């Protein structure tokens, strides 16, 4: 069940019969969303909230799944990484990477809230971040913004293409270079 949702234009959702019928125009099954877990029901259901403009449908990005035990607990779940990619870190081991502006900024500027397409450069940065995260996951190392960026920057300095990062010998070499810097 999804409640307390902000509608386009920043209007708070009102739970009426008419509203329930119109929800499919905003969200439908298989949509990927960001939300707060409000309550876990005894029947296995979950009540979700999207109380602010930072929550809602996720698009034009990459979802990365890692071992949840490796995720460092953080106060800030929504972060802008130094490579100008937005990241959402979930306690459940899901990390969302995208180039888009936060919805709140778009609303305040009165712009159309349609998600812009991700640029080629943005896709490459997202791909490098994704591969950095997968390397940390495979090596069973703590995953948070700093460790991800350490692997990201080391791979750039080594002159590696995004796809080269996942080769076994390259992964191990990257981690050794990062460890030698004393960042882990």
């Amino acid at each position: 069940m999804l409640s307390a949702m902000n509608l386009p234009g920043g209007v708070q959702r009102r739970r009426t019969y008419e509203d329930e019928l119109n929800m499919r125009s905003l969200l439908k099954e298989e949509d990927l969303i960001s939300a707060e877990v409000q309550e876990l029901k005894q029947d296995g259901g979950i009540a979700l909230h999207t109380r602010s403009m930072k929550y809602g449908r996720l698009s034009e990005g990459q979802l990365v799944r890692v071992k949840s035990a490796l995720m460092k607990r953080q106060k800030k779940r929504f972060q802008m990484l130094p490579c100008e990619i937005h990241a959402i870190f979930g306690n459940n081991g899901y990390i969302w990477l995208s180039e888009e502006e936060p919805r709140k900024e778009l609303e305040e500027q009165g712009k159309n809230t349609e998600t812009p397409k991700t640029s080629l450069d943005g896709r490459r940065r997202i791909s490098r971040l994704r591969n950095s995260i997968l390397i940390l996951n495979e090596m069973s190392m703590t995953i948070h913004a700093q460790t991800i960026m350490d692997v990201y920057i080391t791979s750039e300095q080594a002159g590696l293409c995004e796809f080269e990062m996942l080769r076994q010998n390259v992964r191990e070499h990257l981690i050794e270079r990062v460890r030698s810097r004393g960042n882990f």
Side-chain angles (χ1 to χ4, degrees), residues 20-42:
E20 289 179 26
L21 295 175
N22 291 328
M23 278 304 291
R24 288 204 183 273
S25 66
L26 299 173
L27 297 172
K28 51 187 168 275
E29 289 87 355
E30 304 299 321
D31 278 350
L32 189 58
I33 66 166
S34 164
E36 292 177 3
V37 176
Q38 177 196 17
E39 179 184 3
L40 298 174
K41 307 269 185 184
Q42 288 184 353

Side-chain angles (χ1 to χ4, degrees), residues 25-161:
S25 66
L26 299 173
L27 297 172
K28 51 187 168 275
E29 289 87 355
E30 304 299 321
D31 278 350
L32 189 58
I33 66 166
S34 164
E36 292 177 3
V37 176
Q38 177 196 17
E39 179 184 3
L40 298 174
K41 307 269 185 184
Q42 288 184 353
D43 64 358
I46 301 173
L48 301 175
H49 274 256
T50 59
R51 292 180 183 214
S52 72
M53 294 306 294
K54 68 182 178 181
Y55 298 113
R57 184 184 317 171
L58 301 173
S59 62
E60 294 296 321
Q62 175 76 50
L63 180 67
V64 185
R65 173 82 168 119
V66 297
K67 299 172 202 157
S68 60
L70 297 177
M71 296 292 293
K72 181 179 179 181
R73 301 287 186 224
Q74 305 174 84
K75 288 182 182 180
K76 288 179 64 179
R77 301 254 162 245
F78 294 77
Q79 295 187 30
M80 171 64 109
L81 300 176
C83 59
E84 297 183 8
I85 295 296
H86 296 272
I88 303 173
F89 295 93
N91 284 337
N92 58 0
Y94 288 106
I95 302 170
W96 177 256
L97 304 169
S98 70
E99 188 181 43
E100 71 181 31
E101 282 185 80
R103 287 171 187 81
K104 185 175 184 179
E105 290 176 20
L106 290 170
E107 287 290 332
E108 287 173 358
Q109 296 168 6
K111 292 182 180 177
N112 184 350
T113 57
E114 290 293 317
T115 304
K117 297 293 181 199
T118 304
S119 67
L120 178 59
D121 180 55
R123 288 194 301 265
R124 286 187 173 138
R125 286 180 282 140
I126 289 170
S127 179
R128 185 176 298 277
L129 283 170
R130 173 196 173 270
N131 293 346
S132 299
I133 293 166
L134 293 178
I135 289 169
L136 291 167
N137 186 57
E138 186 170 319
M139 300 295 187
S140 296
M141 300 179 80
T142 304
I143 299 170
H144 56 91
Q146 185 60 51
T147 57
I148 294 167
M149 287 309 301
D150 287 343
V151 175
Y152 181 98
I153 291 167
T154 302
S155 71
E156 279 186 324
Q157 291 172 346
L160 297 170
C161 293

